[in-house]
Amino acid sequence: QQQVKQSPQSLIVQKGGISIINCAYENTAFDYFPWYQQFPGKGPALLIAIRPDVSEKKEGRFTISFNKSAKQFSLHIMDSQPGDSATYFCAASKGSGSRLTFGEGTQLTVNP
Amino acid sequence: NAGVMQNPRHLVRRRGQEARLRCSPVKGHSHVYWYRQLPEEGLKFMVYLQKENIIDESGMPKERFSAEFPKEGPSILRIQQVVRGDSAAYFCASSSDLQETQYFGPGTRLLVL
């Protein structure tokens, strides 16, 4: 019940295209859903996060869509750039002072 | 405004030796989390500490692994008698009392020969 499932495992997109990564969770106690970006040899960096009281959150080219009834959330990267090539992790937690449960990661490649 | 600092960045140990990984959280953060990332895998929670207290160690292997976050100084993750399966990247994250956002350090990459 603690799992977060992420898909696809890898994704190749052309420059300017839209990248979409999906996650599904089981534990309805989760109330905080961040996305992290990780470059090779670096630590994960917070990209954007959402709480279940909103269905969408946008920051620049990055948008999270959240479907509470389906227990799914997704990351959309608009106008994808080669510099976006990285591994993306979705995660979930029960809020402040609790562990993050991560998805398996999506390796995104944006071709020039 | 320094972020989470971890050292060493790379650590090589032979089987049976001890590994000590250090983490200095963001200034003012009192919550520290340790995660492990095996090659080509996601991050797995190990332990959550507040100053001088272990809050959740449910992800920590029962033997050989220990963690502390003393009143003064960095948090330490200690692995005794390392085995090859301990080879991984170990990440520390910190958060404040007021926010759920966890900020990650650059990680320590442990290689056991």
Side-chain angles (χ1 to χ4, degrees), chain A residues 58-111:
Chain A
K58 183 176 180 179
E59 289 184 1
R61 295 185 295 110
F62 302 93
T63 300
I64 299 179
S65 297
F66 189 86
N67 186 329
K68 188 174 181 179
S69 60
K71 292 188 286 186
Q72 295 176 346
F73 58 110
S74 61
L75 175 69
H76 296 231
I77 306 175
M78 312 298 287
D79 187 26
S80 299
Q81 300 296 312
D84 297 330
S85 297
T87 300
Y88 293 80
F89 292 97
C90 63
S93 77
K94 298 176 187 177
S96 180
S98 66
R99 66 165 83 176
L100 287 168
T101 299
F102 283 88
E104 299 88 348
T106 296
Q107 188 168 346
L108 171 65
T109 302
V110 181
N111 289 327

